[in-house]
Structures are given as structure tokens and as C-alpha cells.
Amino acid sequence: LACAQARGGRGGAAAPTAPIEPHIEDVRKLTVPKLRARLQEFGLDTKGRKAELVQRCEDYLLEQPGSLNDFTVPQLKEQLRALGLRVSGRKGDLIRRLQDAQDAPPEGGGRTAGGP
């Protein structure tokens, strides 16, 4: 599943321009047995309630090389501003907000990067 797709490429030190991977959002949608299977694949503890399992999986994925966690807070905020989204909160909040924006259907008349 996409939970394991924590690794994505990015170019240089510029703000993220590649599509944002929705791995954290996918983790929230997994059933408890699937979450436990993912955590076992990662070599992590599989005990606890769903919220704990989700948090453990998210924390692991955010620490992986190539994830949005590699970007600095100013870079994440720059990307959020470009999308017209709030820029307040902790780094994890910023990452989740970017991922939620990637998962959301585009609104008619919204700002797009590179429109005519």
C-alpha cells in the first residue's frame, strides 16, 4: 500500500515542486490489521489503539529519507502560501496540510501553478 511509499524525489534545495505523496493520509485510512502489518514491516511495535498505531506509522514515515520531512519549515510554508493555505503550526502540521491539499479535489477557479 501507499503507506510504504515514503520515499520520493526532490530537486536541490528549492521548495518542493514534485507531487506531494499522500502516505500519511493513507495511513489514517488503513484498518487496524493493515496498520499492524505495516508497523511489523517497519519493525515497530504493533500494540495499541488505532490512534497510537497511526501516530507510530506517521512518525516513522516522516523520518524516512526523501519524505517531506527533509524540507525545512520555511520551504514547507512557502509551498503552503503558494497554495493559499495556512502556514501556522508545527512541521508535522504543515506536512499534513500539504498532503491533504494534494488529496483534495481541485476547486473550480482556484489558483494553479502555471495557468494561462
Side-chain angles (χ1 to χ4, degrees), residues 52-98:
E52 296 169 285
L53 302 177
V54 166
Q55 187 64 49
R56 197 172 299 134
C57 193
E58 287 177 348
D59 290 346
Y60 174 82
L61 291 170
L62 286 173
E63 294 172 2
Q64 298 309 299
S67 72
L68 286 173
N69 197 51
D70 290 343
F71 297 106
T72 64
V73 169
Q75 289 172 325
L76 293 168
K77 286 184 176 185
E78 182 179 332
Q79 187 68 19
L80 287 165
R81 281 187 195 100
L83 295 171
L85 299 173
R86 288 185 318 129
V87 297
S88 62
R90 295 182 175 180
K91 187 172 187 175
D93 298 329
L94 304 179
I95 290 170
R96 286 182 187 91
R97 201 168 297 136
L98 282 169

mmCIF file of all heavy atoms in Angstrom, residues 52-98:
data_model
loop_
_atom_site.group_PDB
_atom_site.id
_atom_site.type_symbol
_atom_site.label_atom_id
_atom_site.label_comp_id
_atom_site.label_asym_id
_atom_site.label_seq_id
_atom_site.Cartn_x
_atom_site.Cartn_y
_atom_site.Cartn_z
ATOM 1 N N GLU A 52 -2.902 5.363 18.203
ATOM 2 C CA GLU A 52 -1.491 5.156 18.534
ATOM 3 C C GLU A 52 -0.745 4.521 17.364
ATOM 4 O O GLU A 52 0.391 4.884 17.063
ATOM 5 C CB GLU A 52 -1.349 4.259 19.759
ATOM 6 C CG GLU A 52 -1.914 4.866 21.032
ATOM 7 C CD GLU A 52 -1.985 3.844 22.145
ATOM 8 O OE1 GLU A 52 -2.885 2.981 22.098
ATOM 9 O OE2 GLU A 52 -1.134 3.903 23.060
ATOM 10 N N LEU A 53 -1.380 3.560 16.707
ATOM 11 C CA LEU A 53 -0.764 2.884 15.567
ATOM 12 C C LEU A 53 -0.545 3.861 14.413
ATOM 13 O O LEU A 53 0.507 3.861 13.772
ATOM 14 C CB LEU A 53 -1.633 1.707 15.108
ATOM 15 C CG LEU A 53 -1.926 0.627 16.151
ATOM 16 C CD1 LEU A 53 -2.859 -0.428 15.568
ATOM 17 C CD2 LEU A 53 -0.649 0.000 16.669
ATOM 18 N N VAL A 54 -1.548 4.693 14.162
ATOM 19 C CA VAL A 54 -1.444 5.693 13.102
ATOM 20 C C VAL A 54 -0.293 6.643 13.408
ATOM 21 O O VAL A 54 0.552 6.922 12.547
ATOM 22 C CB VAL A 54 -2.772 6.471 12.944
ATOM 23 C CG1 VAL A 54 -2.584 7.725 12.098
ATOM 24 C CG2 VAL A 54 -3.845 5.573 12.344
ATOM 25 N N GLN A 55 -0.230 7.139 14.645
ATOM 26 C CA GLN A 55 0.829 8.070 15.027
ATOM 27 C C GLN A 55 2.202 7.433 14.883
ATOM 28 O O GLN A 55 3.127 8.049 14.367
ATOM 29 C CB GLN A 55 0.624 8.554 16.473
ATOM 30 C CG GLN A 55 1.589 9.645 16.868
ATOM 31 C CD GLN A 55 1.395 10.909 16.062
ATOM 32 O OE1 GLN A 55 0.277 11.395 15.922
ATOM 33 N NE2 GLN A 55 2.470 11.441 15.511
ATOM 34 N N ARG A 56 2.333 6.177 15.296
ATOM 35 C CA ARG A 56 3.615 5.469 15.200
ATOM 36 C C ARG A 56 4.048 5.324 13.745
ATOM 37 O O ARG A 56 5.207 5.538 13.401
ATOM 38 C CB ARG A 56 3.481 4.103 15.869
ATOM 39 C CG ARG A 56 4.783 3.439 16.205
ATOM 40 C CD ARG A 56 4.565 2.185 17.047
ATOM 41 N NE ARG A 56 3.912 2.527 18.304
ATOM 42 C CZ ARG A 56 2.878 1.852 18.825
ATOM 43 N NH1 ARG A 56 2.393 0.790 18.209
ATOM 44 N NH2 ARG A 56 2.349 2.217 19.967
ATOM 45 N N CYS A 57 3.102 4.976 12.875
ATOM 46 C CA CYS A 57 3.404 4.809 11.453
ATOM 47 C C CYS A 57 3.746 6.155 10.814
ATOM 48 O O CYS A 57 4.699 6.264 10.050
ATOM 49 C CB CYS A 57 2.228 4.142 10.744
ATOM 50 S SG CYS A 57 2.608 3.552 9.074
ATOM 51 N N GLU A 58 2.973 7.197 11.155
ATOM 52 C CA GLU A 58 3.246 8.534 10.623
ATOM 53 C C GLU A 58 4.625 9.011 11.053
ATOM 54 O O GLU A 58 5.384 9.543 10.241
ATOM 55 C CB GLU A 58 2.190 9.524 11.109
ATOM 56 C CG GLU A 58 0.854 9.359 10.455
ATOM 57 C CD GLU A 58 -0.191 10.318 11.004
ATOM 58 O OE1 GLU A 58 0.053 10.966 12.045
ATOM 59 O OE2 GLU A 58 -1.263 10.405 10.392
ATOM 60 N N ASP A 59 4.948 8.831 12.328
ATOM 61 C CA ASP A 59 6.254 9.264 12.836
ATOM 62 C C ASP A 59 7.378 8.557 12.092
ATOM 63 O O ASP A 59 8.375 9.172 11.714
ATOM 64 C CB ASP A 59 6.368 8.997 14.337
ATOM 65 C CG ASP A 59 5.478 9.907 15.169
ATOM 66 O OD1 ASP A 59 4.977 10.918 14.641
ATOM 67 O OD2 ASP A 59 5.279 9.587 16.360
ATOM 68 N N TYR A 60 7.209 7.278 11.867
ATOM 69 C CA TYR A 60 8.228 6.510 11.147
ATOM 70 C C TYR A 60 8.387 7.031 9.725
ATOM 71 O O TYR A 60 9.496 7.253 9.256
ATOM 72 C CB TYR A 60 7.849 5.025 11.131
ATOM 73 C CG TYR A 60 8.780 4.191 10.286
ATOM 74 C CD1 TYR A 60 9.993 3.739 10.796
ATOM 75 C CD2 TYR A 60 8.455 3.864 8.971
ATOM 76 C CE1 TYR A 60 10.859 2.983 10.013
ATOM 77 C CE2 TYR A 60 9.310 3.112 8.189
ATOM 78 C CZ TYR A 60 10.511 2.672 8.716
ATOM 79 O OH TYR A 60 11.367 1.928 7.940
ATOM 80 N N LEU A 61 7.271 7.245 9.050
ATOM 81 C CA LEU A 61 7.325 7.686 7.661
ATOM 82 C C LEU A 61 7.926 9.081 7.532
ATOM 83 O O LEU A 61 8.653 9.366 6.580
ATOM 84 C CB LEU A 61 5.935 7.647 7.035
ATOM 85 C CG LEU A 61 5.368 6.245 6.826
ATOM 86 C CD1 LEU A 61 3.899 6.313 6.444
ATOM 87 C CD2 LEU A 61 6.163 5.490 5.789
ATOM 88 N N LEU A 62 7.637 9.956 8.495
ATOM 89 C CA LEU A 62 8.173 11.311 8.441
ATOM 90 C C LEU A 62 9.684 11.328 8.625
ATOM 91 O O LEU A 62 10.353 12.259 8.189
ATOM 92 C CB LEU A 62 7.519 12.188 9.511
ATOM 93 C CG LEU A 62 6.089 12.609 9.213
ATOM 94 C CD1 LEU A 62 5.496 13.322 10.420
ATOM 95 C CD2 LEU A 62 6.019 13.487 7.984
ATOM 96 N N GLU A 63 10.226 10.301 9.261
ATOM 97 C CA GLU A 63 11.668 10.234 9.492
ATOM 98 C C GLU A 63 12.438 9.655 8.308
ATOM 99 O O GLU A 63 13.661 9.704 8.290
ATOM 100 C CB GLU A 63 11.958 9.383 10.732
ATOM 101 C CG GLU A 63 11.458 10.003 12.013
ATOM 102 C CD GLU A 63 11.571 9.077 13.198
ATOM 103 O OE1 GLU A 63 12.079 7.943 13.034
ATOM 104 O OE2 GLU A 63 11.145 9.470 14.285
ATOM 105 N N GLN A 64 11.732 9.108 7.331
ATOM 106 C CA GLN A 64 12.395 8.442 6.221
ATOM 107 C C GLN A 64 13.006 9.440 5.244
ATOM 108 O O GLN A 64 12.437 10.493 4.993
ATOM 109 C CB GLN A 64 11.409 7.534 5.467
ATOM 110 C CG GLN A 64 10.846 6.424 6.324
ATOM 111 C CD GLN A 64 11.923 5.636 7.033
ATOM 112 O OE1 GLN A 64 12.761 5.033 6.377
ATOM 113 N NE2 GLN A 64 11.920 5.646 8.347
ATOM 114 N N PRO A 65 14.183 9.092 4.687
ATOM 115 C CA PRO A 65 14.799 9.968 3.685
ATOM 116 C C PRO A 65 13.881 10.132 2.475
ATOM 117 O O PRO A 65 13.179 9.201 2.090
ATOM 118 C CB PRO A 65 16.070 9.221 3.281
ATOM 119 C CG PRO A 65 16.269 8.166 4.302
ATOM 120 C CD PRO A 65 14.938 7.899 4.937
ATOM 121 N N GLY A 66 13.878 11.309 1.910
ATOM 122 C CA GLY A 66 13.077 11.562 0.715
ATOM 123 C C GLY A 66 11.654 11.973 1.030
ATOM 124 O O GLY A 66 10.879 12.231 0.130
ATOM 125 N N SER A 67 11.296 12.060 2.311
ATOM 126 C CA SER A 67 9.942 12.476 2.657
ATOM 127 C C SER A 67 9.880 13.996 2.759
ATOM 128 O O SER A 67 10.908 14.687 2.725
ATOM 129 C CB SER A 67 9.510 11.844 3.980
ATOM 130 O OG SER A 67 10.182 12.442 5.057
ATOM 131 N N LEU A 68 8.707 14.536 2.925
ATOM 132 C CA LEU A 68 8.553 15.973 3.092
ATOM 133 C C LEU A 68 9.287 16.453 4.340
ATOM 134 O O LEU A 68 9.589 17.636 4.470
ATOM 135 C CB LEU A 68 7.075 16.348 3.178
ATOM 136 C CG LEU A 68 6.303 16.299 1.873
ATOM 137 C CD1 LEU A 68 4.822 16.523 2.116
ATOM 138 C CD2 LEU A 68 6.838 17.314 0.894
ATOM 139 N N ASN A 69 9.582 15.547 5.247
ATOM 140 C CA ASN A 69 10.304 15.910 6.459
ATOM 141 C C ASN A 69 11.701 16.437 6.136
ATOM 142 O O ASN A 69 12.306 17.137 6.941
ATOM 143 C CB ASN A 69 10.389 14.718 7.407
ATOM 144 C CG ASN A 69 10.747 15.143 8.808
ATOM 145 O OD1 ASN A 69 10.123 16.036 9.355
ATOM 146 N ND2 ASN A 69 11.750 14.518 9.377
ATOM 147 N N ASP A 70 12.230 16.123 4.953
ATOM 148 C CA ASP A 70 13.549 16.620 4.548
ATOM 149 C C ASP A 70 13.534 18.119 4.278
ATOM 150 O O ASP A 70 14.571 18.759 4.278
ATOM 151 C CB ASP A 70 14.047 15.901 3.292
ATOM 152 C CG ASP A 70 14.415 14.461 3.556
ATOM 153 O OD1 ASP A 70 14.595 14.082 4.728
ATOM 154 O OD2 ASP A 70 14.520 13.707 2.571
ATOM 155 N N PHE A 71 12.369 18.690 4.018
ATOM 156 C CA PHE A 71 12.264 20.104 3.728
ATOM 157 C C PHE A 71 12.270 20.906 5.017
ATOM 158 O O PHE A 71 11.831 20.436 6.053
ATOM 159 C CB PHE A 71 10.988 20.403 2.930
ATOM 160 C CG PHE A 71 10.977 19.749 1.591
ATOM 161 C CD1 PHE A 71 10.177 18.655 1.339
ATOM 162 C CD2 PHE A 71 11.781 20.227 0.577
ATOM 163 C CE1 PHE A 71 10.188 18.043 0.098
ATOM 164 C CE2 PHE A 71 11.793 19.618 -0.666
ATOM 165 C CZ PHE A 71 10.999 18.529 -0.903
ATOM 166 N N THR A 72 12.761 22.122 4.946
ATOM 167 C CA THR A 72 12.756 22.999 6.107
ATOM 168 C C THR A 72 11.360 23.581 6.292
ATOM 169 O O THR A 72 10.541 23.603 5.357
ATOM 170 C CB THR A 72 13.764 24.144 5.929
ATOM 171 O OG1 THR A 72 13.339 24.956 4.831
ATOM 172 C CG2 THR A 72 15.170 23.615 5.700
ATOM 173 N N VAL A 73 11.105 24.091 7.488
ATOM 174 C CA VAL A 73 9.816 24.721 7.758
ATOM 175 C C VAL A 73 9.580 25.901 6.807
ATOM 176 O O VAL A 73 8.479 26.018 6.248
ATOM 177 C CB VAL A 73 9.706 25.132 9.245
ATOM 178 C CG1 VAL A 73 8.492 26.019 9.488
ATOM 179 C CG2 VAL A 73 9.640 23.883 10.123
ATOM 180 N N PRO A 74 10.571 26.777 6.560
ATOM 181 C CA PRO A 74 10.329 27.857 5.593
ATOM 182 C C PRO A 74 9.968 27.339 4.200
ATOM 183 O O PRO A 74 9.132 27.932 3.512
ATOM 184 C CB PRO A 74 11.656 28.621 5.575
ATOM 185 C CG PRO A 74 12.250 28.372 6.917
ATOM 186 C CD PRO A 74 11.859 26.956 7.257
ATOM 187 N N GLN A 75 10.582 26.245 3.768
ATOM 188 C CA GLN A 75 10.250 25.676 2.450
ATOM 189 C C GLN A 75 8.819 25.149 2.440
ATOM 190 O O GLN A 75 8.082 25.346 1.474
ATOM 191 C CB GLN A 75 11.220 24.554 2.090
ATOM 192 C CG GLN A 75 12.611 25.036 1.765
ATOM 193 C CD GLN A 75 13.585 23.892 1.598
ATOM 194 O OE1 GLN A 75 13.503 22.876 2.271
ATOM 195 N NE2 GLN A 75 14.544 24.076 0.696
ATOM 196 N N LEU A 76 8.417 24.490 3.512
ATOM 197 C CA LEU A 76 7.049 23.977 3.600
ATOM 198 C C LEU A 76 6.052 25.139 3.610
ATOM 199 O O LEU A 76 5.019 25.088 2.930
ATOM 200 C CB LEU A 76 6.883 23.113 4.851
ATOM 201 C CG LEU A 76 7.661 21.802 4.864
ATOM 202 C CD1 LEU A 76 7.645 21.188 6.255
ATOM 203 C CD2 LEU A 76 7.117 20.822 3.841
ATOM 204 N N LYS A 77 6.369 26.187 4.362
ATOM 205 C CA LYS A 77 5.481 27.355 4.423
ATOM 206 C C LYS A 77 5.372 28.045 3.072
ATOM 207 O O LYS A 77 4.296 28.509 2.686
ATOM 208 C CB LYS A 77 5.972 28.335 5.487
ATOM 209 C CG LYS A 77 5.706 27.844 6.899
ATOM 210 C CD LYS A 77 6.121 28.872 7.929
ATOM 211 C CE LYS A 77 5.743 28.397 9.317
ATOM 212 N NZ LYS A 77 6.015 29.404 10.345
ATOM 213 N N GLU A 78 6.477 28.099 2.347
ATOM 214 C CA GLU A 78 6.459 28.698 1.008
ATOM 215 C C GLU A 78 5.496 27.930 0.097
ATOM 216 O O GLU A 78 4.715 28.527 -0.648
ATOM 217 C CB GLU A 78 7.868 28.687 0.420
ATOM 218 C CG GLU A 78 7.964 29.324 -0.940
ATOM 219 C CD GLU A 78 9.393 29.300 -1.479
ATOM 220 O OE1 GLU A 78 10.341 29.296 -0.686
ATOM 221 O OE2 GLU A 78 9.526 29.282 -2.717
ATOM 222 N N GLN A 79 5.545 26.615 0.178
ATOM 223 C CA GLN A 79 4.652 25.784 -0.636
ATOM 224 C C GLN A 79 3.199 25.988 -0.223
ATOM 225 O O GLN A 79 2.310 26.083 -1.071
ATOM 226 C CB GLN A 79 5.062 24.308 -0.505
ATOM 227 C CG GLN A 79 4.319 23.385 -1.424
ATOM 228 C CD GLN A 79 4.664 23.584 -2.886
ATOM 229 O OE1 GLN A 79 5.686 24.146 -3.226
ATOM 230 N NE2 GLN A 79 3.812 23.121 -3.754
ATOM 231 N N LEU A 80 2.950 26.079 1.082
ATOM 232 C CA LEU A 80 1.594 26.312 1.578
ATOM 233 C C LEU A 80 1.071 27.669 1.110
ATOM 234 O O LEU A 80 -0.086 27.780 0.694
ATOM 235 C CB LEU A 80 1.559 26.212 3.105
ATOM 236 C CG LEU A 80 1.672 24.799 3.672
ATOM 237 C CD1 LEU A 80 2.004 24.839 5.152
ATOM 238 C CD2 LEU A 80 0.398 24.016 3.421
ATOM 239 N N ARG A 81 1.912 28.681 1.188
ATOM 240 C CA ARG A 81 1.500 30.017 0.712
ATOM 241 C C ARG A 81 1.141 29.984 -0.764
ATOM 242 O O ARG A 81 0.179 30.611 -1.191
ATOM 243 C CB ARG A 81 2.616 31.033 0.953
ATOM 244 C CG ARG A 81 2.689 31.528 2.360
ATOM 245 C CD ARG A 81 3.698 32.673 2.514
ATOM 246 N NE ARG A 81 3.992 32.868 3.923
ATOM 247 C CZ ARG A 81 5.072 32.403 4.546
ATOM 248 N NH1 ARG A 81 6.000 31.750 3.879
ATOM 249 N NH2 ARG A 81 5.238 32.601 5.833
ATOM 250 N N ALA A 82 1.932 29.263 -1.538
ATOM 251 C CA ALA A 82 1.675 29.159 -2.975
ATOM 252 C C ALA A 82 0.320 28.518 -3.242
ATOM 253 O O ALA A 82 -0.317 28.800 -4.260
ATOM 254 C CB ALA A 82 2.785 28.360 -3.658
ATOM 255 N N LEU A 83 -0.119 27.669 -2.320
ATOM 256 C CA LEU A 83 -1.418 27.006 -2.470
ATOM 257 C C LEU A 83 -2.539 27.778 -1.791
ATOM 258 O O LEU A 83 -3.686 27.362 -1.809
ATOM 259 C CB LEU A 83 -1.345 25.588 -1.886
ATOM 260 C CG LEU A 83 -0.404 24.622 -2.602
ATOM 261 C CD1 LEU A 83 -0.253 23.330 -1.803
ATOM 262 C CD2 LEU A 83 -0.908 24.327 -3.999
ATOM 263 N N GLY A 84 -2.187 28.903 -1.142
ATOM 264 C CA GLY A 84 -3.192 29.703 -0.454
ATOM 265 C C GLY A 84 -3.673 29.068 0.836
ATOM 266 O O GLY A 84 -4.806 29.300 1.257
ATOM 267 N N LEU A 85 -2.810 28.279 1.482
ATOM 268 C CA LEU A 85 -3.182 27.581 2.709
ATOM 269 C C LEU A 85 -2.517 28.215 3.925
ATOM 270 O O LEU A 85 -1.533 28.943 3.800
ATOM 271 C CB LEU A 85 -2.776 26.105 2.612
ATOM 272 C CG LEU A 85 -3.434 25.323 1.483
ATOM 273 C CD1 LEU A 85 -2.825 23.940 1.373
ATOM 274 C CD2 LEU A 85 -4.931 25.235 1.696
ATOM 275 N N ARG A 86 -3.058 27.914 5.110
ATOM 276 C CA ARG A 86 -2.490 28.418 6.362
ATOM 277 C C ARG A 86 -1.054 27.933 6.523
ATOM 278 O O ARG A 86 -0.736 26.818 6.142
ATOM 279 C CB ARG A 86 -3.305 27.921 7.557
ATOM 280 C CG ARG A 86 -4.653 28.571 7.696
ATOM 281 C CD ARG A 86 -5.404 28.148 8.947
ATOM 282 N NE ARG A 86 -5.277 26.717 9.210
ATOM 283 C CZ ARG A 86 -4.910 26.203 10.381
ATOM 284 N NH1 ARG A 86 -4.633 26.973 11.402
ATOM 285 N NH2 ARG A 86 -4.842 24.907 10.548
ATOM 286 N N VAL A 87 -0.226 28.750 7.136
ATOM 287 C CA VAL A 87 1.179 28.401 7.326
ATOM 288 C C VAL A 87 1.541 28.272 8.807
ATOM 289 O O VAL A 87 2.711 28.150 9.148
ATOM 290 C CB VAL A 87 2.120 29.413 6.642
ATOM 291 C CG1 VAL A 87 1.911 29.405 5.139
ATOM 292 C CG2 VAL A 87 1.925 30.815 7.207
ATOM 293 N N SER A 88 0.555 28.282 9.687
ATOM 294 C CA SER A 88 0.835 28.174 11.116
ATOM 295 C C SER A 88 0.876 26.706 11.540
ATOM 296 O O SER A 88 0.320 25.836 10.877
ATOM 297 C CB SER A 88 -0.241 28.914 11.920
ATOM 298 O OG SER A 88 -1.504 28.325 11.684
ATOM 299 N N GLY A 89 1.564 26.454 12.635
ATOM 300 C CA GLY A 89 1.603 25.109 13.194
ATOM 301 C C GLY A 89 2.998 24.518 13.177
ATOM 302 O O GLY A 89 3.953 25.134 12.703
ATOM 303 N N ARG A 90 3.089 23.317 13.709
ATOM 304 C CA ARG A 90 4.351 22.597 13.746
ATOM 305 C C ARG A 90 4.643 21.980 12.387
ATOM 306 O O ARG A 90 3.780 21.907 11.521
ATOM 307 C CB ARG A 90 4.289 21.491 14.805
ATOM 308 C CG ARG A 90 4.139 22.033 16.206
ATOM 309 C CD ARG A 90 4.121 20.920 17.199
ATOM 310 N NE ARG A 90 4.100 21.453 18.546
ATOM 311 C CZ ARG A 90 4.082 20.723 19.621
ATOM 312 N NH1 ARG A 90 4.068 19.409 19.528
ATOM 313 N NH2 ARG A 90 4.071 21.277 20.809
ATOM 314 N N LYS A 91 5.869 21.500 12.247
ATOM 315 C CA LYS A 91 6.298 20.935 10.974
ATOM 316 C C LYS A 91 5.378 19.801 10.519
ATOM 317 O O LYS A 91 4.979 19.728 9.360
ATOM 318 C CB LYS A 91 7.746 20.442 11.075
ATOM 319 C CG LYS A 91 8.322 20.002 9.755
ATOM 320 C CD LYS A 91 9.799 19.720 9.874
ATOM 321 C CE LYS A 91 10.405 19.434 8.516
ATOM 322 N NZ LYS A 91 11.852 19.266 8.587
ATOM 323 N N GLY A 92 5.007 18.919 11.434
ATOM 324 C CA GLY A 92 4.102 17.823 11.090
ATOM 325 C C GLY A 92 2.756 18.325 10.592
ATOM 326 O O GLY A 92 2.164 17.748 9.679
ATOM 327 N N ASP A 93 2.271 19.424 11.199
ATOM 328 C CA ASP A 93 1.001 20.022 10.755
ATOM 329 C C ASP A 93 1.125 20.553 9.332
ATOM 330 O O ASP A 93 0.207 20.397 8.521
ATOM 331 C CB ASP A 93 0.596 21.181 11.678
ATOM 332 C CG ASP A 93 0.367 20.739 13.117
ATOM 333 O OD1 ASP A 93 -0.058 19.585 13.324
ATOM 334 O OD2 ASP A 93 0.617 21.552 14.022
ATOM 335 N N LEU A 94 2.257 21.193 9.045
ATOM 336 C CA LEU A 94 2.473 21.748 7.706
ATOM 337 C C LEU A 94 2.513 20.630 6.664
ATOM 338 O O LEU A 94 1.915 20.745 5.587
ATOM 339 C CB LEU A 94 3.772 22.548 7.662
ATOM 340 C CG LEU A 94 3.918 23.683 8.679
ATOM 341 C CD1 LEU A 94 5.271 24.364 8.525
ATOM 342 C CD2 LEU A 94 2.789 24.673 8.577
ATOM 343 N N ILE A 95 3.204 19.553 7.002
ATOM 344 C CA ILE A 95 3.313 18.412 6.085
ATOM 345 C C ILE A 95 1.934 17.807 5.840
ATOM 346 O O ILE A 95 1.551 17.553 4.692
ATOM 347 C CB ILE A 95 4.299 17.367 6.631
ATOM 348 C CG1 ILE A 95 5.722 17.924 6.570
ATOM 349 C CG2 ILE A 95 4.182 16.047 5.872
ATOM 350 C CD1 ILE A 95 6.753 17.087 7.291
ATOM 351 N N ARG A 96 1.183 17.603 6.894
ATOM 352 C CA ARG A 96 -0.169 17.028 6.742
ATOM 353 C C ARG A 96 -1.062 17.938 5.898
ATOM 354 O O ARG A 96 -1.836 17.467 5.077
ATOM 355 C CB ARG A 96 -0.784 16.760 8.104
ATOM 356 C CG ARG A 96 -0.184 15.562 8.777
ATOM 357 C CD ARG A 96 -0.842 15.273 10.124
ATOM 358 N NE ARG A 96 -0.115 14.220 10.798
ATOM 359 C CZ ARG A 96 0.898 14.414 11.639
ATOM 360 N NH1 ARG A 96 1.314 15.639 11.908
ATOM 361 N NH2 ARG A 96 1.512 13.400 12.207
ATOM 362 N N ARG A 97 -0.939 19.254 6.116
ATOM 363 C CA ARG A 97 -1.742 20.206 5.346
ATOM 364 C C ARG A 97 -1.405 20.127 3.859
ATOM 365 O O ARG A 97 -2.296 20.151 3.000
ATOM 366 C CB ARG A 97 -1.495 21.621 5.884
ATOM 367 C CG ARG A 97 -2.593 22.588 5.542
ATOM 368 C CD ARG A 97 -2.465 23.887 6.333
ATOM 369 N NE ARG A 97 -2.597 23.630 7.755
ATOM 370 C CZ ARG A 97 -1.808 24.168 8.692
ATOM 371 N NH1 ARG A 97 -0.856 25.010 8.364
ATOM 372 N NH2 ARG A 97 -2.001 23.885 9.954
ATOM 373 N N LEU A 98 -0.128 19.997 3.539
ATOM 374 C CA LEU A 98 0.273 19.845 2.138
ATOM 375 C C LEU A 98 -0.265 18.542 1.557
ATOM 376 O O LEU A 98 -0.734 18.501 0.416
ATOM 377 C CB LEU A 98 1.796 19.890 2.014
ATOM 378 C CG LEU A 98 2.423 21.272 2.085
ATOM 379 C CD1 LEU A 98 3.936 21.163 2.213
ATOM 380 C CD2 LEU A 98 2.047 22.090 0.863
#
